[in-house]
Each structure stands twice: as C-alpha cells, then as structure tokens.
Amino acid sequence: MMRLSWLLRRSFDFGEREVAHWFPGHMAKGLKQMKTKLKNIDCIVEIHDARIPLSGRNPIFQDNLGIKPHLLILNKMDLADLTQQKRILAQLKQQGVGKVIFTNCLKDQNIKQVVPAISELIGCSQRFHREESTETCIMVIGVPNVGKSSLINALRRTHLRKGKASKVGAEPGITRSVLTKIQVAESPLLFLLDTPGVLSPRIESVETGMKLALCGTILDHLVGEDILADYLLYILNEQMQHRYVEHYGLEKPCADIETLLKRIALKLGKTQKVKAITGVGDVNITVPNYNAAAYDFIRTFRRGQLGVVMLD
C-alpha cells in the first residue's frame, strides 16, 4: 500500500497533557515484600513487553533488586515487530542488560531457553548464604500485565506437564502480593516467586505513559481513551500497519481519529441518544459513541488484529 505522506502525520502532538500517577498501596507493599525475600533468591527474572523493550522498565528494580543475577524476558513477541530485534539488543547491552530472551508465553515459544539461561547465570555468580541449598529459587518481577504469571504457567507446562499455578488476566493488577514458592522444574529443582506488577511512582514522560497504556500496562483512563486511540492511529500509520483499513471497512488509511471512530461506531452499532436543544424544544438524536469505538480500537490492537509494532 502506498504511503500517503500528504495525509498522514509526521509527528504526534502530546500538547500539555500529563499522565495520572498510579502507584496503589499493593505496589508499595509488594516492593517491600520483594526486598525481604531477596536473601533466599538466586536469580531475578524480569519480564517486560517486547513492544516496549526500552520504555517503562521500573528503575526501582535496578536500584533495589540489582544485586542478584538478572535475566530479561521480552514477552508477547508475537505482537512486536522483530525486524528491530538487533537494534533493541544492542541498546539493551549498552544499558548493561546481558541476557535477553524473547518469548510468547501463551504458546510456549522460546520457553525452553529460560531454565538453561537461569542455570548459566547462577553458575557464574556467588550464591551468598545459599551454597548449601540444593534447590534454585527465582523471583519474577516486572511492571503490570506483561506476562509474569503467564511465564510461570508456561514453565510448568513445559517442564512439569502441569497446569496453571498463577492467575492470569488481561488487566493490570491481577497479582497483588508476593506468592509462595511455585515449582516449575525438577531437573534442576527450580522454584519461582510470582510478584505484583510494580510501576515507577513517576512515569518519565507522557509518551512513555502512552506506550505503557497501549500495551495495557497502566489503566486506560490514566491517559484517556480518546488521546490513546489517537496515538494508536498515529503509530499504526507511521509504521505502515494499515490492517485497520480492511478491518473496519475503510477505503484508505486515515489520519483523523474522529473520522475513524465514527466509522467504527457505525460499523459496530455503537451509538447513543443525546438530547439536543433546538428552537422548537429538546429533541433526542442518535450520535456515534466515540468512547465505545475507541475502546474497541484499542482492544483490537492489543489482541494483535491490527498488525505488529515496535513502540521504542
């Protein structure tokens, strides 16, 4: 499809917007619990969304948990544009991240690489106060809704042929406390601790907040569904991901979010009646439900139906 450079935006105007802060009590409590359990941990596995490999990783983790061997897992690789993988790995290496694995935990893709990587990291480090223990204990950390519980369940399926041990959800905040040890492998004897998703108390920029929200890592209303849908449209057009055109029955790519949301609302029957004041009295008119349309647009993207992207 031709790039309509005269039609599509070259940049996105964030205006004077700010991202509402979201650091609820269970996050602060969870971080405190994680610190207290560090002495019994051999390795930290950080899991993050592969679409935002450089954005939104919590610096608190590095400050408070960085004394242990560290493995970064970039999950949801099926939703990310992996043609950018070489560049991303180089930038992560510059940030001091040594070992990175891309995964799709829902389909167990690359899951078999995780346990050997953990064993290698531990073998190259000192097991302070844990030399006598025959078991290995890992703490799984990350921001909300990136797949920490899904990783644990995938490891159990792969190595133990067992089902779910951790609850999984599509909204951030499903895991709210540090759970007890969960066995995920027998050889080596490996246990994991699931933990609540913990965001940085202050998101570094509005753009970072947008990226986190698009990936479902923070709640939509903290950014605003309208601006989030507009940013998503900008990203899809910028990265030549025009699958939304066919999905919603458009004739060509669109740069105007109001035009797109009106089309989505009418296609899906998402309308609402509002009262209009006229010279002859109040009348009820039917108008597109733009909020419902924005919600559908964002959710359809998160399900991978509008193409793969790299937001960093």
Side-chain angles (χ1 to χ4, degrees):
M1 185 178 292
M2 289 180 58
R3 186 182 182 94
L4 306 178
S5 58
W6 56 271
L7 174 66
L8 307 181
R9 291 170 285 183
R10 296 180 182 274
S11 62
F12 188 84
D13 182 12
F14 293 103
E16 301 298 321
R17 288 181 175 268
E18 294 183 356
V19 179
H21 301 310
W22 187 49
F23 193 71
H26 77 268
M27 288 191 185
K29 180 180 178 182
L31 185 61
K32 185 177 180 180
Q33 290 176 321
M34 290 154 68
K35 292 179 186 177
T36 63
K37 292 182 178 291
L38 268 183
K39 65 180 180 180
N40 296 320
I41 297 298
D42 297 299
C43 180
I44 291 175
V45 174
E46 179 187 0
I47 187 163
H48 199 60
D49 195 304
R51 294 167 291 182
I52 47 172
L54 307 174
S55 295
R57 291 177 55 221
N58 193 339
I60 293 177
F61 293 148
Q62 279 75 40
D63 296 340
N64 294 283
L65 306 175
I67 61 175
K68 297 287 185 175
H70 173 260
L71 169 65
L72 176 62
I73 291 180
L74 295 174
N75 191 37
K76 305 184 183 182
M77 61 181 289
D78 55 309
L79 304 179
D81 179 7
L82 296 185
T83 63
Q84 304 290 319
Q85 186 171 344
K86 187 175 180 180
R87 172 182 64 84
I88 293 300
L89 290 174
Q91 290 182 255
L92 287 170
K93 188 175 181 179
Q94 289 179 349
Q95 296 177 9
V97 180
K99 185 66 177 177
V100 182
I101 299 175
F102 287 81
T103 64
N104 174 1
C105 289
L106 296 181
K107 294 189 176 180
D108 297 345
Q109 193 170 1
N110 292 345
I111 294 300
K112 288 184 178 180
Q113 298 179 23
V114 174
V115 171
I118 290 171
S119 298
E120 181 182 354
L121 286 168
I122 294 174
C124 297
S125 66
Q126 295 288 333
R127 296 185 71 198
F128 298 105
H129 310 298
R130 287 184 52 76
E131 295 88 347
E132 304 301 322
S133 177
T134 58
E135 66 182 41
T136 299
C137 192
I138 309 302
M139 181 181 287
V140 181
I141 65 171
V143 299
N145 202 29
V146 289
K148 297 181 297 297
S149 298
S150 296
L151 172 66
I152 290 177
N153 294 331
L155 287 169
R156 284 174 60 82
R157 284 195 302 271
T158 300
H159 297 285
L160 298 178
R161 300 292 188 267
K162 292 186 178 180
K164 294 181 179 180
S166 289
K167 188 177 180 181
V168 176
E171 296 291 336
I174 292 295
T175 304
R176 290 181 171 264
S177 63
V178 178
L179 303 178
T180 55
K181 291 194 302 185
I182 301 169
Q183 184 179 356
V184 295
E186 290 182 345
S187 181
L189 185 57
L190 181 63
F191 292 86
L192 269 71
L193 289 180
D194 195 5
T195 64
V198 179
L199 286 167
S200 174
R202 180 171 294 277
I203 296 173
E204 60 191 69
S205 69
V206 175
E207 184 173 11
T208 296
M210 291 286 187
K211 293 176 181 180
L212 289 167
L214 271 186
C215 294
T217 296
I218 62 176
L219 299 173
D220 294 348
H221 71 266
L222 297 178
V223 174
E225 286 87 349
D226 55 344
I227 188 71
L228 189 57
D230 194 17
Y231 183 64
L232 171 57
L233 178 60
Y234 164 73
I235 289 293
L236 292 175
N237 286 334
E238 181 193 45
Q239 300 192 16
M240 299 293 288
Q241 295 291 332
H242 296 148
R243 202 177 297 177
Y244 71 89
V245 175
E246 180 180 356
H247 187 85
Y248 291 115
L250 301 175
E251 293 182 359
K252 59 186 177 181
C254 171
D256 179 61
I257 188 60
E258 185 174 346
T259 300
L260 174 62
L261 294 183
K262 182 177 181 179
R263 173 62 185 171
I264 294 173
L266 295 176
K267 179 179 175 63
L268 301 180
K270 303 289 186 180
T271 59
Q272 58 187 349
K273 290 185 177 181
V274 298
K275 185 175 291 186
I277 301 175
T278 70
V280 293
D282 296 348
V283 296
N284 290 324
I285 60 174
T286 300
V287 299
N289 187 331
Y290 290 102
N291 286 336
Y295 181 87
D296 183 84
F297 185 42
I298 294 165
R299 291 301 186 278
T300 303
F301 163 74
R302 289 177 182 156
R303 290 194 295 266
Q305 294 176 264
L306 300 182
V308 296
V309 298
M310 181 60 71
L311 297 176
D312 284 335

